[in-house]
Amino acid sequence: MENQWWKRAVVYQLYPRSFSDSNGDGQGDLKGVTAKLDYIKWLGVDVVWLCPVYASPNADNGYDISDYYSIMDEMGTIGDWEALKNGLHSRGIKLIMDMVLNHTSDQHPWFIESRSSRDNPKRDWYIWRKGKPDGSEPNNWGSFFSPSAWEYDEKTGEYYLHMFSPKQPDLNWENPDVRQALYNVIRFWLDKGVDGFRFDVANMYSKVQGFPEAPEFVPGSKYQFPIVHVYNGPRIHEFIQEMNREAFAGRDIMTVGEGPFVTPELALQYAGFDTHEFDMVFHFEHVIKGGLWTSFMPYDFIEFKQTLNRFQTTLYGKAWNSLYLSNHDQPRQVSRFGNDRKYLVRSAKLLGTMIHMQQGTPYVYQGEELGMTNIPFTRFDQYRDLDSFNYIAQSRAMGMPDDLILSALNRSSRDNARTPMQWSAEKNAGFTAGTPWIEVNPNYPEINVETETGDPSSVLNYYRRLIRLRKEMPVIVYGSFIPLMEEHPQFYCWIREYEGERLLVVLNFSDTDAGFALPEGITAGSEKRVLSNAGREKLNLGSDTIGPWEAYVCILE
Ligand code: ISL
Ligand code: CA
């Protein structure tokens, strides 16, 4: 069990559209990524997760696939992809691909056929339903990227289901031919030498058939997110086990399923050591507590700790955690959970320490290792994401004033995470010689790879240390997790324990000093420093003062 490579690995999530542009068209591409492989190697990560690069009209930046077997024009060619894969492999880095199997683009030939007539053989590959007798949608289901989850199709007089945008029709997983076609896709990429997959919304494949009305989720809204009908549906484990068996069992790969609304108990099933589903899941409980679009609200620190601690302790020895605060759908972590003004560097390091010292596989989202922040857009037309546009339209319809909408977007929009990677202090942060598809964050002259590489006290060099430590200390990979001071309003602390070795992690999540004392019942004579983000040499275990956003890690002796 302990020799699976993905347990010891650190994954780097790469959003290629915003990483590096090789030809000056303003969009990142595969050649751009290949040109930066020495940086990725130097960082020390073991795996790259590449967000979708398949053929796509890009309604949702590649999460709307029109051909699973080819590369989108803007990204390059299949030859460019091979060069990237070989470049990674020759450096000892694995490549995992993003797999979007819940839906396709409406431009996918399967859907074009499906919508062509009611008796087309591919009709049943998607989810078509008649409207209600009054002609309205089949039910009240709301989509994540538009009000209704149903789109009316004039030609055949029926509605199709799209849990995301109307350009992303949901596949009908009840149809075994659909499942086989998707397993072929997985096998194709495995045969090309990929080392695993991140499965997009992997707990949405099975929907409650009969399509009942959704209970109220957003009070008073005409359309409601059918959380209970589309997530963790009745056949979900059967489908995932079948996919595991038929498409990838026996291969030495890693799989991670994206799972909004996955509880620790469900994670035991999705990512159990012997459940034959995925190696791990991304749960969302610490980032969308209670629902969607909550990232613009201040978060509840105690609840945040409890949530993460519950995953840590419930999964230990039975299933594997994935560790993240950031990805391409979430605002920048230092802006949301840290202090991106007065304590930018300190709090960025503290958040990295939190992720890397917990039990599971850590994911670093591009730019996180620099301490990249949310972007201070002042106008709607600076935004690019369809989710942001949907939010603007729906909020305006509800009568919300524009300045409030803008301030919510500033804190929550997915575009915060999608601004170009900041390579240097040169024009456009060194991302492109042309005009970037989305504006570069104006803080790039200070926050960038080149400047931070040369600064031993940078966030970047701290991340390199975090990544290296995992290789050197088995307790970080395999240790159990013992939460401490769970009710403390400033501290997030825990102990990891493995083969008699104990690692103490002390994090002050606040702008003020906090008084530390090792809780009663925990005995230690002394401690030996492993890591500090504040130049601390020693910690007095009986009584000490921990500064704002200070992180300290030590071995208890
Ligand atoms: O971003 C969200 C809401 O603001 C999330 O609910 C997001 O839609 C959810 O995490 C699913 O995300 C994945 O599937 C989407 C795609 O847009 C995201 O980029 C992807 O990560 C549809 O494919
Ligand atoms: Ca380009």
Side-chain angles (χ1 to χ4, degrees), residues 171-191:
L171 283 160
N172 178 19
W173 273 70
E174 300 289 324
N175 182 325
D177 295 341
V178 170
R179 304 204 297 276
Q180 287 305 324
L182 297 174
Y183 305 158
N184 283 339
V185 171
I186 295 173
R187 287 187 288 253
F188 171 84
W189 288 100
L190 284 174
D191 291 344

Side-chain angles (χ1 to χ4, degrees), residues 487-522:
E487 302 298 323
H488 198 287
Q490 292 164 284
F491 278 128
Y492 191 7
C493 300
W494 61 86
I495 287 176
R496 303 284 307 282
E497 191 165 356
Y498 184 66
E499 294 184 344
E501 187 166 59
R502 286 181 303 164
L503 184 83
L504 170 70
V505 180
V506 177
L507 310 173
N508 178 357
F509 265 76
S510 79
D511 288 348
T512 53
D513 284 346
F516 176 85
L518 201 59
E520 272 179 49
I522 308 218

Side-chain angles (χ1 to χ4, degrees), residues 60 63 100 103 144-145 164 168 198 200-201 231 258 260 284 288 292-293 328-329 386-387 414 418:
D60 188 15
Y63 286 91
V100 189
H103 45 269
F144 299 107
F145 295 158
F164 296 92
Q168 294 166 293
R198 174 265 190 191
D200 193 66
V201 286
Y231 288 101
E258 190 200 23
F284 278 61
I288 55 167
L292 305 169
W293 277 101
H328 64 295
D329 294 333
L386 84 170
D387 190 28
R414 308 196 300 180
R418 299 179 178 187

Side-chain angles (χ1 to χ4, degrees), residues 271-432:
F273 289 155
D274 49 16
T275 51
H276 306 286
E277 297 193 11
F278 298 126
D279 294 322
M280 53 193 125
V281 279
F282 291 123
H283 73 82
F284 278 61
E285 289 210 341
H286 61 311
V287 289
I288 55 167
K289 195 70 201 166
L292 305 169
W293 277 101
T294 50
S295 55
F296 68 91
M297 298 188 290
Y299 74 106
D300 181 327
F301 177 58
I302 307 275
E303 196 181 353
F304 173 79
K305 290 195 290 184
Q306 283 168 348
T307 299
L308 289 169
N309 292 355
R310 215 156 9 90
F311 275 90
Q312 288 288 302
T313 52
T314 309
L315 270 57
Y316 189 72
K318 303 189 184 115
W320 196 254
N321 271 294
S322 54
L323 308 169
Y324 78 98
L325 283 175
S326 292
N327 59 39
H328 64 295
D329 294 333
Q330 299 292 331
R332 288 287 178 180
Q333 66 191 41
V334 69
S335 301
R336 180 172 179 191
F337 298 106
N339 179 334
D340 67 1
R341 295 194 172 86
K342 192 162 172 210
Y343 295 105
L344 171 69
V345 171
R346 237 319 158 102
S347 64
K349 291 176 181 174
L350 173 138
L351 295 171
T353 313
M354 182 197 105
I355 290 294
H356 287 256
M357 293 300 136
Q358 294 208 342
Q359 208 275 322
T361 298
Y363 288 74
V364 179
Y365 176 66
Q366 72 184 42
E368 172 190 331
E369 77 276 24
L370 306 174
M372 278 180 65
T373 64
N374 282 352
I375 189 157
F377 283 156
T378 54
R379 304 186 319 267
F380 291 149
D381 68 6
Q382 292 170 295
Y383 285 94
R384 293 288 177 270
D385 180 21
L386 84 170
D387 190 28
S388 304
F389 298 141
N390 176 48
Y391 183 76
I392 295 167
Q394 295 209 36
S395 305
R396 277 182 166 165
M398 278 162 29
M400 195 160 146
D402 278 1
D403 55 339
L404 262 185
I405 301 176
L406 190 64
S407 91
L409 283 174
N410 278 178
R411 276 170 286 159
S412 306
S413 169
R414 308 196 300 180
D415 284 324
N416 283 307
R418 299 179 178 187
T419 65
M421 178 71 176
Q422 294 166 202
W423 293 102
S424 71
E426 282 160 42
K427 186 171 167 245
N428 297 325
F431 163 72
T432 179

